[in-house]
Amino acid sequence: MCGFCGYVNQSNISSDTIEKMSDRIKHRGPDDEQYFQDDNISMGFRRLSIIDLAHGGQPLFSKDKKKVLTFNGEIYNYKEIRTELKHMGYEFKTDVDSEVLIHGYEAWGTKLLKKLRGMYAFVIYDQENKKIFGARDHFGIKPLYYYDDGESFMYGSEIKSFLSNPNFNKELNIGLLPIHLSFEFIPSKETMFKNVYKVMPGTYFIHDIDSKVTETHRYYKFNYDHIDENQTIDEDAKKIDQIVKDAVKDHVIADVEVGSFLSSGVDSSYVLNEVSKFQPIKTFSLGFNNSKYSELKWSSSFAKQIGQENTPVKIDDNDYFNILPTMMYYMDEPLSNPSAVQLYYLSKATRKQVKVALSGEGADEFFGGYNTYLEAKPFERYQKYVPRFIRKLLSKMVINLPRFHGRRFLIRGAQPLSERYYRVNYVFYYNDRNRLLKNSKINRDAGAYTKHIFDEVKDKDEVTQMQYFDINTWLPFDILQKADRMSMANSLEVRTPLVDKDVAAFASTMPLHTRINSEKTKIAFRKAAENALPERVAMKEKLGFPSPVASWIKQPKFHERIVHAFNCDIAQKFFDTKELMRILKEHDSGKSSMQKIMTPYLFILWYGVYFPENTIEIFNEKVV
């Protein structure tokens, strides 16, 4: 695991700029740093050594020195690809997976991407043709960004590296604020910085240095085109068991010790149990001091049951709130998922003992694990038996009323799935944003922003459409985003065996009845886990990453901190501060969700980190 950055040279940039950019992402690779520069490009690399510790330095060159590679990630099938390339006459100097990328690109060009299985982001500079080629893995496990304003071009593992380049025009993409307030992330290639773009999952770019033109192309797209309705729960469970076994074995390959995150849930427990069958492994679990939300009893009990060492990690309210500004710095873009802080501290403790940790992300998206998928049936019945004009009338009647049980159902029952689905208005609805935004003219329809994703699977059932949407938005831009940033902030490599090309290939064939019914989620996956785990673990209800943040907000010292932020210069610049205070008061009385507090609060903190003019007074702790 590593970090890299680079830019196309311009006359007003000093040669040491690349080192300053690289220093910004030192946390991604504290073991080594190397650089390459010529008349056209400057490339920087920071290494976290995992495989072939002595020989894995980068940038890496082709034999004729005309192609230069920087790479972040792991290629799990690199040995098979290397064998194929050797038969073609290519010579290898090391045992690192990065060499198959440089030789594979020489052999097959962009078709190399069809052969890869792993988590990766990499860039190859072609000196002869004066082009920059960059690619990102199938599901967006590893990050890759580029800045392109038509004159300057730069790329990197994290946006913050651009801050040290004088040609980076740092500007807020204000038009995306309402989208962020809806999703808590940006579900597209756009970012909260103008002219900064994500390389989307399964996508590559080619930048022509002479013409200054950047093209992007999709080489992989997850789909549900081959669902097999004849598959049974028992058959799918058996296949899942073998697929998980194979994925776990491939994901523990390393020349350093590998550990594993462990919650009380079935996903991380299943992954850990498979590893424990062929090697001992240290496990790490997070909980809260003096809190009913702590899962440590569950996780430590299971680790002990299968004979693996468990390290409990505990945090309290001060740990949580004091790290938030620093967390926003590492995150690059504002993200208000409360579990990000837990991941930060879990990664920090894990890194003290190991360099690599396995995690259970991905099972819910691919195998149908979210409880929100259970909503499909009630909405189908509601829409079938209640005429549309009545549903629309009820929605208009309740949309401006205070929060009450059933209000969200009545509002959403009048909407098509592309507007109704939980993730589309995860935090604030359109009318909520109208009241909250200081300039309501920038408000926009979040459902329209992502409707094209639902349109791609409009012939499928609603649960399948929800899963497809989550695989293309929630998974890469929230779940994997926070996993990468919070782990790499602590120089820890996190691997996700269940977010895997082979796992996804099978999941895409599963019929609805082996994924979910009106009462149960992840049916076949749980059946597979049940054969390997205690029933209480395999069938445990999904909790996510529970935390007591909602109650902490009400504590005077943190409540005052939020009140101060909600009335600071930044808040006044973007929001109606009276509305912010109204939402906070509603939360105090139990009528507003925690996310409606934390999303604007963390945006304010994030803005103060990246646009710090006259805003430092909102912080209680020093930002990294």
Side-chain angles (χ1 to χ4, degrees), residues 109-138:
T110 61
K111 292 180 180 179
L112 160 70
L113 299 171
K114 295 287 187 180
K115 297 177 177 287
L116 301 179
R117 175 174 171 239
M119 56 177 189
Y120 52 83
F122 64 90
V123 164
I124 295 176
Y125 164 50
D126 184 337
Q127 288 181 286
E128 194 169 32
N129 295 305
K130 296 177 70 174
K131 295 182 186 295
I132 304 170
F133 168 75
R136 193 178 182 195
D137 65 62
H138 303 78

Side-chain angles (χ1 to χ4, degrees), residues 323-354:
I323 201 65
L324 291 177
T326 294
M327 187 190 84
M328 287 296 97
Y329 174 75
Y330 282 120
M331 199 66 76
D332 270 347
E333 296 186 85
L335 183 68
S336 57
N337 189 317
S339 66
V341 172
Q342 286 99 294
L343 274 172
Y344 176 86
Y345 283 109
L346 181 60
S347 298
K348 184 177 182 179
T350 301
R351 182 61 176 87
K352 292 177 181 178
Q353 298 188 48
V354 299

Side-chain angles (χ1 to χ4, degrees), residues 76 117 139 141 222 240-249 251 265-272 274 358-367 471 475 480 495-507 522 525 529:
Y76 299 120
R117 175 174 171 239
F139 303 106
I141 304 171
F222 178 84
I240 288 170
D241 184 60
Q242 187 59 54
I243 288 169
V244 171
K245 281 183 171 66
D246 293 341
V248 167
K249 285 182 180 178
H251 281 68
V266 60
D267 307 337
S268 62
S269 300
Y270 196 178
V271 168
L272 171 63
E274 290 305 316
L358 304 182
S359 189
E361 281 89 349
D364 291 317
E365 290 80 9
F366 289 120
F367 297 111
I471 289 166
L475 180 63
L480 297 175
R495 298 181 180 179
T496 53
L498 303 180
V499 183
D500 177 82
K501 186 169 76 169
D502 291 354
V503 173
F506 170 71
K522 275 192 301 200
F525 184 85

